[in-house]
C-alpha cells in the first residue's frame, strides 16, 4: 500500500488547504456517542477485538453476497490474531449484545454461520465512512460519496473489500507505530482522535470544538472508567507525546501529529478508492436470512 506512488498521493492530499479541517471533522465523528445502548466504544475500539469484528463482517458478506466460504467460528478463528478461546469468547459477547447471530447453513443445518447485525456493520464501518466524509470535504463533493454508504449493505461491502485487502497485503496500521500503540488499548484510538481534535480546535479556525479533556468528560464520552482514561493519558505524557493542564491540551508532539495526518491521509485515499468501486457496482443481492439459532 505504502509504495512511492501512494506516499506521493498522501503528501499531495496533506498539502490541500482543507485537509486538516476535514480530519478535524473525522476526529469529531470518531468520538460521537454510539446509537447503541451497549458501551460499543469500549467493546469494539481495541485492535484485537476490532479485527475479529472486521473479519467477521468480511466472511459474512463474502458468503451471502459473493459465494464465499461459510462464515463459521472455526473459519474466523483461523484468520485473526487472538487465540481460539479469546475469539470464541468475544463472539459470545457479540451475540449477547445482539451484534451477531448464528444462522443455520441452508445446505447443512448442523453448520452455524456468523451473521453481522446492521449495528455491528455501522460501528465497524464508522471510521471508513468518516474517512470518505473527510475526502468529500476536501474534494468539495456535494453530494459526496459517503452519502451512498449510509445503509449497512454498501457499508458492509466497504468493510469486506477493506478486509480483503488486509488479507492479501497485511494490516494498514502497522507502518504507524504510535497510532497502533493507541489502537491497542481499550478506547485508545478514539482517545487519540479526541486529542488530535483538541489540537485542531485550538489551531484551525472553524474546527469543531474540542471534546472535554477532563478524566470525567473523556470517561463519559468513551464509556470507560476515569482510571482507565487516566492511565492512557499518563502513558502518553510519560512518552512525551502530550501535556494536559487544567483539562486542556497544552502540548501535542508535532511528530505524533504528522504521523496521525499521514495515517489519516492514507486512510482517506484508501477508503475513497474503495467507496468509488462499491458505488459503481449494483447493490449486492442479499441471500435470505436463515433461521436464527443461539
Amino acid at each position: 500500500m505504502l509504495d512511492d506512488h501512494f506516499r506521493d498521493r498522501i503528501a499531495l492530499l496533506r498539502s490541500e488547504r482543507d485537509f486538516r479541517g476535514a480530519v478535524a471533522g473525522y476526529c469529531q465523528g470518531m468520538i460521537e456517542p454510539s446509537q447503541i445502548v451497549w458501551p460499543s466504544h469500549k467493546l469494539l475500539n481495541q485492535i484485537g477485538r476490532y479485527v475479529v469484528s472486521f473479519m467477521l463482517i468480511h466472511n459474512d458478506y463474502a458468503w451471502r453476497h459473493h459465494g464465499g466460504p461459510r462464515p463459521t467460528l472455526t473459519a474466523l478463528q483461523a484468520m485473526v490474531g487472538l487465540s481460539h478461546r479469546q475469539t470464541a469468547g468475544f463472539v459470545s459477547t457479540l451475540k449477547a449484545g445482539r451484534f451477531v447471530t448464528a444462522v443455520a447453513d441452508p445446505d447443512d443445518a448442523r453448520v452455524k454461520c456468523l451473521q453481522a447485525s446492521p449495528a455491528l456493520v455501522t460501528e465497524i464501518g464508522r471510521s471508513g465512512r468518516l474517512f470518505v466524509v473527510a475526502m468529500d470535504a476536501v474534494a468539495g463533493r456535494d453530494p459526496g460519496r459517503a452519502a451512498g454508504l449510509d445503509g449497512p449493505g454498501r457499508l458492509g461491502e466497504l468493510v469486506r473489500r477493506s478486509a480483503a485487502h488486509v488479507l492479501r497485503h497485511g494490516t494498514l496500521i502497522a507502518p504507524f507505530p504510535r497510532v497502533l500503540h493507541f489502537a491497542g488499548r481499550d478506547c485508545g484510538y478514539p482517545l487519540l482522535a479526541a486529542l488530535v481534535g483538541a489540537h485542531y480546535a485550538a489551531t484551525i479556525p472553524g474546527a469543531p470544538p474540542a471534546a472535554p479533556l477532563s478524566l470525567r468528560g473523556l470517561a463519559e464520552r468513551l464509556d470507560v472508567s476515569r482510571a482507565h482514561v487516566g492511565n492512557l493519558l499518563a502513558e502518553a505524557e510519560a512518552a512525551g507525546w502530550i501535556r494536559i493542564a487544567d483539562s486542556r491540551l497544552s502540548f501535542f508532539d508535532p511528530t505524533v501529529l504528522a504521523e496521525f495526518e499521514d495515517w489519516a491521509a492514507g486512510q482517506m485515499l484508501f477508503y475513497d478508492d474503495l467507496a468509488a468501486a462499491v458505488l459503481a457496482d449494483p447493490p449486492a443481492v442479499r441471500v435470505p436470512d436463515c433461521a436464527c439459532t443461539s
Side-chain angles (χ1 to χ4, degrees), residues 22 25-26 128-138 145-147 268:
Y26 167 84
R129 185 185 65 79
L130 287 172
F131 277 127
V132 179
V133 170
M135 197 68 179
D136 284 339
V138 173
R145 284 178 180 160
M268 287 165 65

Side-chain angles (χ1 to χ4, degrees), residues 60-68 152-153 156-157 160 284-287:
D60 176 25
Y61 274 66
W63 175 59
R64 285 193 281 147
H65 303 312
H66 299 281
E157 179 62 16
R160 185 197 71 80
V285 177
R286 182 186 176 103
V287 175

Side-chain angles (χ1 to χ4, degrees), residues 18 20-26 28 197 199-210:
D18 295 328
R20 289 181 176 84
V23 177
Y26 167 84
Q28 182 186 47
H199 172 77
Y200 285 144
T203 58
I204 299 177

Side-chain angles (χ1 to χ4, degrees), residues 212-235:
L213 295 187
S214 66
L215 296 186
R216 179 176 181 178
L218 286 169
E220 289 178 352
R221 179 65 68 96
L222 301 178
D223 293 317
V224 293
S225 70
R226 281 182 285 182
H228 181 63
V229 171
N231 289 336
L232 292 177
L233 294 178
E235 282 184 9

Side-chain angles (χ1 to χ4, degrees), residues 26-48:
Y26 167 84
C27 291
Q28 182 186 47
M30 281 303 296
I31 60 172
E32 284 296 312
S34 169
Q35 310 216 345
I36 302 167
V37 175
W38 272 53
S40 56
H41 272 309
K42 179 179 180 180
L43 182 68
L44 302 175
N45 276 291
Q46 190 279 334
I47 194 164

Side-chain angles (χ1 to χ4, degrees), residues 144-213:
R145 284 178 180 160
L149 303 173
D150 280 346
R154 280 181 163 151
L155 186 58
E157 179 62 16
L158 186 79
V159 173
R160 185 197 71 80
R161 292 188 186 216
S162 176
H165 185 280
V166 170
L167 288 170
R168 288 195 301 270
H169 303 292
T171 62
L172 306 177
I173 199 171
F176 305 94
R178 288 172 291 190
V179 178
L180 179 60
H181 171 88
F182 279 96
R185 307 300 198 270
D186 285 358
C187 282
Y189 184 76
L191 177 65
L192 176 59
L195 295 170
V196 174
H199 172 77
Y200 285 144
T203 58
I204 299 177
L213 295 187

